Amino acid sequence: MKILSFCVPCYNSYTFMRKCIDSLLPGGDDVEIIIVDDGSTDRTGELADSYVQAYPNIVRAIHQENGGHGEAVNTGIREATGVYFKVVDSDDWVDRDAYMKILAKLREFAKMKEPVDMHLSNFVYEKLSTGHERRMLLSPLFPEDEIIGWDGMKHNIKGFSILMHSVIYRTQLLRDCGLKLPKHTFYVDNLYVYIPLVHVKTIYYMNVEFYRYYIGREGQSVAEQTMIKRIDQQLRVNYMMIDAVDPWQVKEPHLRRYLLSYLETVTVVSTSIGYLSNDPENYKKIEDLWLYIKNHDIRTYHQLRYGVLGFAMRLKGRFGRRLGVFFYHLSQKFIGFN
């Protein structure tokens, strides 16, 4: 039985994917590494097949037409045989010591009658432009080394979020919740760490720096100018989040507050990107987004509109946009994202 399935979405990743895959191999026969070659035009597929040949009991390669990051993750979920499931992007990698600790804990969970639904750990931004690292911790939100429900959550703090880099799901939970990410759309990681949460009943947090997230590669989807060009995809994900989950139907107050807080964060990012574009057409798109939220559910609108982050973004006119951009750049420096 495989304990953990890794999905490694790859698109023209030949020059940097080795470090990622090599960091996953120490899991041995307890893991499977599913390399999804998403229509690459370089030698990615060839390199993936070479890993299959060298490690036939660990590595699998799937070659498909280009469908984008979300479709590669969909393929991984469909093909996974492990009890647990983790996405690792092809330009990132994992820390070996933390990996061994997490894998040992997942072995314990796999033997349980009802395995834990979600395992959380920290991640580290490796920022190329500055040469600095930034540790992103979840210890302010969750107690360490305890199996808890959402009622065991310590706090909800703006800026501390469950991201794709920090989460390992029970594979069957992802299938049971019907998660299907859209094709040819960036920023679907927001859906991945939002929609399944209402199905998560048990959580375990380990305070280790497992995932190493490389940030600053040219053309990376989170680069500011790239996000401006792809604002329609950011907005598409934002709308899908609004439609997919009704936080007010969630009875557990900690989870409800967290969902509203995360939706506020994503909506503020969408708003900031619209403002940064200096494009009146994008300003209109942002106004339409806020109006949609208001018409969709006035309670959600008030939570987002008058939240700490949302309020800074909703001041009217040129001054309001400038103030919104200021707070956005302040958050960049505090959190360390691009």
Side-chain angles (χ1 to χ4, degrees), residues 86 89 92 121-123 125 163-167 210-211 213:
K86 173 73 176 171
D89 288 337
D92 300 332
S121 57
N122 307 323
F123 67 94
Y125 282 121
L163 300 184
M164 183 176 272
H165 321 308
S166 55
V167 65
F210 176 42
Y211 195 104
Y213 176 46

Side-chain angles (χ1 to χ4, degrees), residues 114-258:
E114 295 183 3
V116 171
D117 290 331
M118 183 171 70
H119 184 289
L120 299 172
S121 57
N122 307 323
F123 67 94
V124 179
Y125 282 121
E126 299 270 0
K127 196 161 188 181
L128 177 66
S129 60
T130 63
H132 293 159
E133 296 182 350
R134 180 65 63 89
R135 299 168 66 234
M136 305 304 293
L137 308 178
L138 290 178
S139 51
L141 304 189
F142 298 97
E144 299 176 26
D145 304 325
E146 294 181 40
I147 298 175
I148 62 168
W150 288 104
D151 58 349
M153 192 174 183
K154 291 162 60 177
H155 305 286
N156 268 294
I157 305 173
K158 303 289 185 183
F160 289 84
S161 301
I162 299 167
L163 300 184
M164 183 176 272
H165 321 308
S166 55
V167 65
I168 297 173
Y169 286 119
R170 185 169 55 83
T171 306
Q172 193 59 45
L173 179 141
L174 293 176
R175 293 171 178 154
D176 290 345
C177 76
L179 179 69
K180 187 171 178 59
L181 303 178
K183 292 184 178 182
H184 302 296
T185 305
F186 287 90
Y187 317 117
V188 296
D189 52 314
N190 290 306
L191 298 168
Y192 185 83
V193 294
Y194 188 72
I195 293 175
L197 294 190
V198 296
H199 300 270
V200 169
K201 305 303 180 187
T202 49
I203 306 161
Y204 187 92
Y205 166 62
M206 186 178 289
N207 190 2
V208 294
E209 282 72 60
F210 176 42
Y211 195 104
R212 314 291 290 198
Y213 176 46
Y214 179 83
I215 192 167
R217 182 167 52 83
E218 186 177 355
Q220 196 167 25
S221 61
V222 292
E224 194 170 278
Q225 290 304 313
T226 303
M227 291 192 74
I228 290 172
K229 292 177 183 177
R230 295 172 177 164
I231 188 171
D232 288 340
Q233 297 183 53
Q234 169 72 20
L235 289 170
R236 181 185 183 193
V237 168
N238 208 151
Y239 279 109
M240 291 180 71
M241 291 175 66
I242 296 164
D243 292 338
V245 176
D246 181 358
W248 303 101
Q249 294 296 316
V250 176
K251 294 181 180 179
E252 215 305 305
H254 291 79
L255 176 56
R256 182 172 61 250
R257 286 193 293 268
Y258 177 81

